Amino acid sequence: MTRDNEDAPEGWVAGMSPDEFREASARVADWIAGYRSNVADYPVTPDVNPGDIAALLPAHAPEAPESMSAILADLEDTILPGLTHWYHPGFMAYFGSSASAPGILAEFVTAALNVNAMLWRTSPAATELELRVVEWVCEFVGLPGDFSGVILDTASNSTFTALTAARHRADPEIRERGLAGRAELGALTVYVSEHAHSSQDRAVIAAGIGLQHLRRVPADEDYAMRPDELARLIRADREAGCIPIMVSGTIGTTSSTAVDPCEELAEICEREDVWFHVDSAYAGPAASLPELRREFRGWERADSIVLNPHKWMFTPMDCSVLVYRDPEAIRAALALTPEYLSSDFEALDLMDYGLALGRRFRALKLWFIFRHFGAEGLRQRFRYHIGLAQDLVSWLDADPRFDLLGSAKFATVCLTAIPPSGEDPYEWNRRLMAAVNEHRKVFLSHTVLDGRYVIRVSISNETVRQETVRQAFDLLCEEHDRMCAKGIES
């Protein structure tokens, strides 16, 4: 039996007509523009408890179609009150992810094109644009021309991909036989700073190496990895029959934005024939500033580097750039081509460079952003954020109620408040940060350094201005004084 369009349910085959789509798109664009214009009017964090939003959502999907008006109304009334607003000028927790207007527009186009850039032939332009944009990134941050790379989702995936390459270089037979099939090998070992990001731990778990074989290298007084301790640990592992396969240094640690001495780490890795990876997911874009290039000395000697434009380059989530000096080392670890994906084209297939087969057209938003802002426009914004961080440093430095920790090389400031005599500093600072965040005007995060509870202020949002940073400082002072007065009264 032949079916024609008249037999299909109304609206099922064609979906929205072009005119309906234009109207709906205009309404959504207007909503987005209004949200972005007014985001500072919202509390930066929601006043909800676990389960509150779920209680407002229907238990079952609707059987009948609903209008765009109804969907947008529920977005406004149900979803928005339960969001933390990462675009808010007061969002200074973690490392921000500030989606700029050109990045949002590029995501719109990306969704409309909906290409899968797994093979060159499934989207030639998507593949070739990605390779070219990664070249732009390398040039932008001053890396030499022998680096190439791909765009993955997050630094966790980029680090895992680098680790699989390091594992494969150490023993190519693991790819076929697995670690269990290579029981005669000594344990594979990986080395990170004690302040390294937890994505390193997750990569070690996922790669089958095991947390027991992750070595945490002690740091110095600036929270940077100690090369002498790294050399000592590698030497001890070799004597014990272990096989060191990767050292991961960090430029811009999550806790304090410390900088590991990559020049010295590279020397050790080259001497020991160990893969050298650099995690610069947060700070990497700042290498575009000539005045900060000294912080990145030695990273050009790495085997692989990760930097995330979705952290400090105004790119919507997700966009992680993994660059490397030996493409074949990355490809050989995970590449696998079933017959139904074989091709006669002599071209690079992005699916071979990482775990994922399906690949979003992430390069498009980075292309939009480079072209909209220009390299100098991006540098100007980084300098502005760094300047705001230095303003905060000067206010804290002049105030006896606070201590600074770390060097604030980039745009993240770490501080502790000095409590009244007899108060537990750890608990005092925990309560202070909670009190500041309770205002819902700014959102700060914390870490622990040298056993001290440390408040972090990270400045990377496109919307942040000096008055917002000053507001954060004033709230810290106000709540500090209120807590002191309350303690006296009690």
Side-chain angles (χ1 to χ4, degrees):
M1 180 176 67
T2 302
R3 298 184 182 274
D4 57 32
N5 286 342
E6 293 180 0
D7 297 319
E10 183 179 355
W12 182 71
V13 173
M16 286 184 180
S17 70
D19 286 342
E20 289 171 332
F21 179 76
R22 287 187 182 95
E23 180 183 356
S25 298
R27 293 190 63 180
V28 171
D30 187 61
W31 186 93
I32 293 171
Y35 168 74
R36 288 169 59 80
S37 297
N38 301 316
V39 67
D41 296 336
Y42 294 97
V44 63
T45 53
D47 186 11
V48 295
N49 293 310
D52 284 355
I53 304 303
L56 301 175
L57 300 171
H60 306 287
E63 289 288 342
E66 298 186 33
S67 69
M68 185 58 64
S69 296
I71 295 169
L72 289 177
D74 284 346
L75 173 62
E76 186 78 32
D77 297 338
T78 304
I79 305 302
L80 213 58
L83 292 180
T84 295
H85 299 283
W86 285 63
Y87 186 66
H88 195 288
F91 186 99
M92 301 178 195
Y94 316 113
F95 293 135
S97 179
S98 180
S100 61
I104 293 168
L105 293 173
E107 285 282 25
F108 193 15
V109 177
T110 298
L113 296 173
N114 197 37
V115 301
N116 184 344
M118 55 184 182
L119 303 172
W120 177 87
R121 68 183 173 90
T122 60
S123 282
T127 297
E128 295 185 19
L129 181 66
E130 180 164 331
L131 298 176
R132 180 53 48 86
V133 167
V134 170
E135 290 175 359
W136 288 3
V137 170
C138 290
E139 182 181 44
F140 181 58
V141 299
L143 288 170
D146 60 344
F147 275 90
S148 58
V150 292
I151 303 176
L152 303 177
D153 51 3
T154 65
S156 297
N157 199 355
S158 292
T159 298
F160 170 75
T161 302
L163 180 54
T164 62
R167 186 186 64 183
H168 184 76
R169 178 184 284 181
D171 186 352
E173 289 191 44
I174 291 174
R175 175 186 162 103
E176 297 297 328
R177 296 171 59 182
L179 288 172
R182 296 289 282 150
E184 71 276 15
L185 285 176
L188 306 183
T189 50
V190 175
Y191 306 81
V192 301
S193 164
E194 62 178 305
H195 296 291
H197 190 269
S198 61
S199 60
Q200 311 279 351
D201 302 56
R202 294 165 70 91
V204 163
I205 294 169
I209 291 168
L211 291 174
Q212 285 188 353
H213 308 299
L214 177 66
R215 306 293 187 242
R216 301 188 185 281
V217 183
D220 61 20
E221 64 278 3
D222 294 322
Y223 310 112
M225 187 192 296
R226 289 178 52 184
D228 60 328
E229 287 291 325
L230 171 65
R232 181 186 65 79
L233 287 169
I234 291 176
R235 184 167 58 250
D237 278 334
R238 287 205 189 281
E239 291 172 356
C242 298
I243 303 175
I245 64 168
M246 187 169 93
V247 171
S248 184
T250 306
I251 299 177
T253 59
T254 301
S255 286
S256 66
T257 66
V259 174
D260 289 339
C262 288
E263 195 80 67
E264 296 170 76
L265 302 185
E267 292 280 355
I268 294 170
C269 289
E270 290 166 10
R271 183 175 70 241
E272 296 288 346
D273 192 23
V274 173
W275 186 284
F276 181 33
H277 176 69
V278 173
D279 176 359
S280 195
Y282 158 67
S288 64
L289 303 177
E291 62 268 29
L292 284 182
R293 196 65 60 78
R294 64 185 180 277
E295 305 296 344
F296 296 82
R297 282 193 301 262
W299 79 330
E300 74 282 354
R301 297 169 67 178
D303 293 284
S304 56
I305 301 169
V306 57
L307 56 93
N308 284 2
H310 69 231
K311 279 192 168 69
W312 195 12
M313 212 165 153
F314 320 117
T315 306
M317 283 282 291
D318 48 27
C319 185
S320 179
V321 176
L322 174 67
V323 299
Y324 34 76
R325 288 190 292 128
D326 184 356
E328 179 55 25
I330 300 289
R331 193 202 68 81
L334 293 170
L336 182 69
T337 305
E339 182 56 37
Y340 50 80
L341 292 179
S342 63
S343 171
D344 294 330
F345 290 103
E346 293 294 326
L348 184 146
D349 293 325
L350 293 173
M351 71 173 189
D352 291 341
Y353 297 81
L355 185 62
L357 174 60
R359 302 185 89 264
R360 295 183 67 239
F361 194 1
R362 296 185 181 93
L364 196 66
K365 55 190 170 186
L366 204 45
W367 187 59
F368 268 49
I369 282 166
F370 266 121
R371 298 193 63 186
H372 176 82
F373 291 112
E376 181 55 29
L378 291 169
R379 286 189 286 264
Q380 288 172 356
R381 284 160 175 80
F382 301 153
R383 288 189 176 104
Y384 179 67
H385 289 158
I386 292 167
L388 293 180
Q390 290 308 307
D391 289 342
L392 179 58
V393 166
S394 67
W395 302 332
L396 291 164
D397 213 25
D399 195 311
R401 291 170 289 191
F402 301 99
D403 272 342
L404 285 163
L405 286 87
S407 57
K409 290 182 172 71
F410 304 108
T412 297
V413 179
C414 295
L415 65 107
T416 59
I418 301 172
S421 177
E423 293 282 355
D424 176 17
Y426 190 102
E427 180 62 17
W428 175 271
N429 277 276
R430 187 195 67 77
R431 287 166 45 213
L432 173 61
M433 192 186 78
V436 169
N437 285 341
E438 189 63 29
H439 287 266
R440 296 191 165 83
K441 296 177 180 178
V442 298
F443 182 28
L444 310 181
S445 63
H446 81 283
T447 189
V448 175
L449 294 170
D450 297 329
R452 303 170 73 180
Y453 191 99
V454 176
I455 299 170
R456 296 171 70 260
V457 184
S458 190
I459 301 165
S460 59
N461 259 354
E462 189 186 17
T463 53
V464 70
R465 297 292 182 268
Q466 188 187 57
E467 57 264 29
T468 320
V469 180
R470 184 72 203 195
Q471 182 179 48
F473 174 72
D474 289 344
L475 284 170
L476 285 164
C477 296
E478 175 187 324
E479 288 300 331
H480 183 285
D481 292 348
R482 184 191 62 79
M483 289 168 59
C484 286
K486 187 175 180 181
I488 293 170
E489 291 170 4
S490 60

